[in-house]
Amino acid sequence: MEETAKGIVGGLTNYGDPRFAAYLRRSFAQSMGYSRDMLSRPTIGITWTASGFNNCHRGVPELVDAVKRGVLAAGGLPLDFPVTSLGEVFLSPTSMVFRNLMAMDVEEMVRAQPMDAVVLVGGCDKTLPALVMGAASAGKPAIVVSTGPMMTSRYQGERLGACTDCRRFWGRYRAGEVSDQQIDQVESSLATTAGTCAVMGTASTMSILLEVMGLMLPGTAAIPAVHADRLRAAEATGKAAMELVASGRTIDQIVTQATIDNAVRMLLAIGGSTNAIIHLAAIAGRLGFKIDMDRLNAISDDTPVLVDLKPSGTAYMEDFFYAGGVGGVLRRLGDKIDRSALTVTGETLGDLVPSDDTWIDEAVIRTTEAPVRSDGGLVALFGSLAPNGAVLKRAAADETLFEKTARAVVFKNMQDLADRIDDPELDVTADDVLVLQNAGPKAAGMPESGYLPIPSKLAKQGVKDMLRISDARMSGTAYGTIVLHVSPESAAGGPLSLVRDGDLIRMSVKGRTLDLLVEPEELAKRVPVAAPTAETRGWLGLYNRHVLQAEDGCDLDFLRPDGAGMRPSEQIGK
C-alpha cells in the first residue's frame, strides 16, 4: 500500500518547490491536531453532502462518522470535505439543473485534494449520479455508500410512504375527495424519518443500480436509513476504501458494457424510475459509452418486472430490504445478468449472488414464473413526434391507453399549464392527450413536470389517468400513462414545438411508436412555439449553452471524453 498511497502529500500545491510545498502542507495539517503518524497514512476523502436544505441527507453526519471508523480501523486517515448538496424539493427551478454543477464540484475537489481514494456519501435523487459522474471523471478509486430509504408512516390506519402516496392523496384532494384538514394531516404523515423516498423512486432506483454496477458494497443499497445496518455498511465501506488504495481500482476499470447492460436489466426488473435512464446515460457518457434505446427495448422485452413496489406495485423499500434486496432480484434473474462483471471489491457480480437456499419473500420479489408483469417496466418510443426517442413507464401506466389516437390539448409552457389546467372552460375530455411543450433541458432544466395534473373538472368526474406527453421528466414515485423525455425537445426545434390544439397524436406501445398525424406540408407552414428566454450569465448561462438532450443524459457537452459525444466504437449495444 505504501507504494501506491501518497497520503497528505499527494497532489502538492505548486510553489515551484515540491519539498517546500510538502513541508508547508504538513505544518498546516498539524495545526488541525493531527500527529505526524496520522499524516503519514493513506488519506481517504469522504464527501460531506449534509445540508439544512436536504432532508434526505439528515443522516449523513452519522454515516460519515461510521465511514471514518472503518478507515481508521484499516489504518488510514479519513478526511471529509464539503460538496454541493442537492435537496430535491428545495431547489428552483429544478434539481436537475444542478446535477452537472455538483458533478463538476465533485470531480474538481476529488482531483485537487490529496486523497488516495474517496467514499461517495449521498442519496437524494441527483446526488448519487452526480457523485459517480464526478468521481469517474476524476479518475481516483471511489466507492459509494447511500443514505438509504426512509421508513413508512401511518395515517388513519393506512400505511404511507413518500412520495407515491403524496401524489395519490393530492389527486384525491384536487378531486374534492379529501378536505383541507385531512390533506394537512396527510402532509405531516408522509415523510417522518431520515432517508430518501420510501418507494421505488429515483433515489432508491439509483442506489440499487449502483450496487448492481459494482460501485457499492453488496447488500447495502436497500438498507433503511435509520437501521443500524446502514451504519455498519458505512463502516465496512470505509475499510473497503482502504483496500481500493492498494488495488488502485477506479470506476473506469469497473464499468463496462456488461456493467451498464446489467444496470438496465435491473432497472427494468424493479420497475424503476424513468429518470434512471437519463442518469445512466450520463454516467456511461463520462466513460465513453452510450446507451442505445433500441437495445433498451430489446432488454425490456426479455425482462419481467419482479419487484412489487410502489408506484408499480404495493410494497415499500423497507419491505424490499427484508424480502432479500438486490441479491434476491439477482438470484431471480439468473443468467439474464452477466455475472462476470467486476465489482469494486475485485470480485465478480456472480461471486456476490446469494446461494440457491437463500430465503426470498415471493410477495415482494416475485419469481419469473409469477412476475408483476411479463415484460420490463420501461419502453422507448420513436416516431415523427420523437425522432430521437421518448420513454414510457409502462409498469405504472394504464394498458387500455397503450394503443391510442387522441386529440392534442396543448400547453406552451409550465406557466400556461398552471394558468389553464383547472379552467372550467378548458376544452378537454378524458379521451384527449395533454401535451406540454418547453419543459426540456434547454427550455426549463427538465423539471419533473411531466406528471401533468388531471384537469380538475375531469378529476371531479372520477378520471384518474389519461395520456400525457412532454419533453420533461417525471418523479420516479409518480404513476400514469405519461410519455417523457421527448427528443429533440421543443426548445431545440423538435417536432413537439409544432404541435397545436386539435392535432391527432398516435401512440402504439406494441409498435414502439409515437407519431404526430399532421401532413408535412402543414408542419412546414407552422412556426415553432416560442422558447423561454434563456439565462446567459453564471452557471445557468453555461448550462444553457452546453446541455445535451435526454438521450445523452443531459450532461454538458464539454464534460464528455471527446468534448462533444461518444466514441462510436464503444456505444452500448452497438
Side-chain angles (χ1 to χ4, degrees):
M1 184 174 294
E2 287 74 13
E3 295 180 1
T4 56
K6 296 180 180 178
I8 202 71
V9 295
L12 289 170
T13 308
N14 190 356
Y15 293 107
D17 183 343
R19 292 182 63 196
F20 172 76
Y23 152 79
L24 190 63
R25 179 175 290 176
R26 286 192 300 267
S27 176
F28 278 39
Q30 287 179 74
S31 77
M32 294 186 283
Y34 291 108
S35 66
R36 291 183 69 89
D37 173 63
M38 288 299 294
L39 294 176
S40 68
R41 299 182 180 191
T43 304
I44 305 298
I46 308 169
T47 60
W48 181 274
T49 56
S51 166
F53 291 104
N54 195 335
N55 63 292
C56 297
H57 289 193
R58 197 178 92 196
V60 163
E62 270 194 300
L63 285 177
V64 170
D65 284 345
V67 172
K68 288 181 177 180
R69 290 201 304 267
V71 174
L72 289 168
L77 172 62
L79 295 175
D80 60 73
F81 62 100
V83 293
T84 306
S85 184
L86 303 179
E88 185 69 20
V89 301
F90 293 94
L91 288 164
S92 177
T94 171
S95 63
M96 187 64 184
V97 169
F98 303 105
R99 184 204 64 184
N100 297 334
L101 178 63
M102 181 179 181
M104 291 174 68
D105 180 9
V106 171
E107 175 182 347
E108 299 304 336
M109 290 300 97
V110 169
R111 181 185 291 121
Q113 296 177 128
M115 61 191 77
D116 298 302
V118 61
V119 177
L120 307 169
V121 181
C124 197
D125 292 13
K126 312 306 177 295
T127 302
L128 287 177
L131 288 169
V132 173
M133 290 162 67
S137 295
K140 289 184 179 180
I143 186 170
V144 179
V145 59
S146 62
T147 59
M150 64 177 73
M151 302 290 281
T152 54
S153 185
R154 299 291 187 277
Y155 169 70
Q156 295 185 353
E158 181 179 357
R159 195 178 181 198
L160 294 184
C163 202
T164 301
D165 295 326
C166 313
R167 301 174 193 284
R168 178 169 60 86
F169 272 95
W170 191 253
R172 291 180 60 194
Y173 176 66
R174 284 175 50 80
E177 300 171 6
V178 172
S179 69
D180 289 346
Q181 181 182 9
Q182 288 174 315
I183 200 67
D184 286 346
Q185 292 171 346
V186 170
E187 179 182 306
S188 300
S189 304
L190 284 163
T192 57
T193 77
T196 57
C197 287
V199 299
M200 193 60 76
T202 304
S204 290
T205 298
M206 289 308 303
S207 186
I208 289 168
L209 299 190
L210 293 180
E211 181 177 329
V212 172
M213 293 170 71
L215 300 181
M216 66 170 64
L217 292 181
T220 63
I223 303 170
V226 297
H227 198 296
D229 281 353
R230 174 57 59 191
L231 298 178
R232 285 186 278 269
E235 181 180 307
T237 301
K239 293 179 180 179
M242 284 293 290
E243 295 172 0
L244 280 177
V245 176
S247 70
R249 192 176 301 112
T250 54
I251 291 176
D252 66 316
Q253 295 171 359
I254 298 169
V255 176
T256 64
Q257 174 175 333
T259 306
I260 297 179
D261 276 356
N262 282 344
V264 169
R265 193 175 294 278
M266 178 61 75
L267 168 63
L268 297 165
I270 63 177
S273 170
T274 52
N275 289 315
I277 290 294
I278 291 178
H279 299 319
L280 281 176
I283 293 169
R286 291 296 181 99
L287 298 168
F289 299 108
K290 183 178 177 66
I291 289 180
D292 180 77
M293 299 301 279
D294 288 322
R295 173 67 172 156
L296 180 144
N297 279 342
I299 296 174
S300 187
D301 289 341
D302 186 47
T303 306
V305 176
L306 299 177
V307 177
D308 190 359
L309 253 67
K310 292 187 176 187
S312 301
T314 58
Y316 295 86
M317 278 301 296
E318 64 197 74
D319 305 315
F320 178 67
F321 169 65
Y322 290 115
V326 172
V329 183
L330 290 174
R331 167 58 60 195
R332 292 281 196 245
L333 287 172
D335 60 7
K336 291 183 182 293
I337 290 287
D338 187 334
R339 299 190 178 194
S340 68
L342 189 65
T343 71
V344 71
T345 66
E347 300 165 288
T348 67
L349 193 60
D351 294 331
L352 306 175
V353 175
S355 61
D356 290 337
D357 60 355
T358 301
W359 180 81
I360 301 171
D361 186 349
E362 295 186 4
V364 179
I365 302 175
R366 304 278 192 88
T367 64
T368 54
E369 293 75 26
V372 176
R373 60 176 297 129
S374 60
D375 48 18
L378 308 180
V379 64
L381 307 174
F382 299 90
S384 61
L385 187 57
N388 294 345
V391 174
L392 171 71
K393 187 173 184 177
R394 59 181 171 187
D398 182 351
E399 294 197 16
T400 66
L401 301 176
F402 281 10
E403 308 297 319
K404 187 175 181 65
T405 299
R407 184 187 67 141
V409 177
V410 183
F411 300 93
K412 297 178 181 178
N413 50 53
M414 287 178 290
Q415 187 59 55
D416 186 32
L417 173 68
D419 290 343
R420 296 194 296 123
I421 191 66
D422 291 333
D423 185 344
E425 301 302 317
L426 181 66
D427 182 13
V428 63
T429 72
D431 289 328
D432 292 332
V433 51
L434 303 181
V435 177
L436 174 62
Q437 301 166 320
N438 281 321
K442 287 184 177 294
M446 209 175 188
E448 292 182 340
S449 57
Y451 185 73
L452 279 68
I454 302 296
S456 61
K457 72 177 185 180
L458 298 182
K460 291 173 182 177
Q461 297 170 15
V463 176
K464 303 297 184 184
D465 193 12
M466 58 192 299
L467 180 58
R468 288 159 275 181
I469 298 173
S470 75
D471 47 11
R473 297 180 301 112
M474 176 178 78
S475 168
T477 66
Y479 49 88
T481 311
I482 301 171
V483 178
L484 305 155
H485 312 174
V486 171
S487 180
E489 65 172 299
S490 292
L496 186 64
S497 67
L498 301 176
V499 181
R500 300 292 182 265
D501 284 335
D503 287 349
L504 292 181
I505 293 174
R506 181 175 60 213
M507 180 179 77
S508 173
V509 174
K510 182 179 180 180
R512 308 289 190 268
T513 57
L514 185 67
D515 291 304
L516 176 60
L517 304 183
V518 176
E519 293 299 325
E521 295 78 13
E522 169 59 25
L523 291 178
K525 299 175 185 177
R526 295 182 179 179
V527 176
V529 65
T533 302
E535 178 63 68
T536 58
R537 67 175 297 278
W539 164 249
L540 289 179
L542 183 69
Y543 170 91
N544 289 330
R545 290 190 294 274
H546 294 282
V547 68
L548 296 167
Q549 292 293 288
E551 64 271 18
D552 286 320
C554 300
D555 202 358
L556 303 187
D557 53 16
F558 61 83
L559 296 175
R560 297 300 187 101
D562 61 3
M566 300 300 96
R567 297 193 291 270
S569 63
E570 294 185 1
Q571 288 186 5
I572 297 297
K574 290 292 187 180

